[in-house]
Amino acid sequence: MLSSSQSSSSPLALGDLGYFYAVLQITGFIGGGAMLFWLLKDAIYCDECSIDLKRCTIQERYTSEPLRTLQQKLQVFKNKLKTEPPIAAISYHAKEMGTTKAVDTHLRTRVIVHKCDRCGVSHLQCDTERSISNKYWSGLPLTRIIHWYKPENSHNDLDRSK
């Protein structure tokens, strides 16, 4: 027969392990929820079809021009989106915003187009970033351009915001 000191120490150790396991489960649940939030927070969503838009185009250009010059070019890009079909603005970006290689540059512009497979609505986003190091870039505030359009009505903005 076991003494009272042996029988009481065994359940206590198992109880401590149970508490540790419960804290581990709670921490995993919170961590998983946070990771899911970070993955989905920037997902672009079609309100009409209730599906995520798929990325169909990405274009990056690098430059070492002064920021003021790049901002003037971004204004031209924005005006082209308002007055011409989006392909004209994308072509302007390809020709005027810099090179395709990040050699000795400190600024990058990136145009990403997402499209809904069902209704054809497209979302164009242009971001400007500054180089922090050889591999890392940081977004510049107030330089994001967002434009929603449909292919058959590609020179008119849709009333949507991010």
Side-chain angles (χ1 to χ4, degrees), residues 25-37:
Q25 285 180 324
I26 292 169
T27 305
F29 181 77
I30 292 170
M35 190 169 89
L36 186 62
F37 169 76

Side-chain angles (χ1 to χ4, degrees), residues 80-110:
K80 283 188 176 287
L81 281 175
K82 289 181 181 178
T83 60
E84 299 177 30
I87 193 68
I90 294 170
S91 296
Y92 174 81
H93 181 265
K95 293 175 187 171
E96 300 295 328
M97 296 295 209
T99 66
T100 57
K101 297 183 181 175
V103 179
D104 296 328
T105 59
H106 66 278
L107 293 172
R108 168 173 76 180
T109 56
R110 178 186 290 169

Side-chain angles (χ1 to χ4, degrees), residues 126-143:
C126 179
D127 291 312
T128 305
E129 299 171 321
R130 180 184 312 249
S131 176
I132 296 174
S133 68
N134 290 341
K135 295 182 181 180
Y136 299 105
W137 297 82
S138 174
L140 295 174
L142 306 175
T143 59

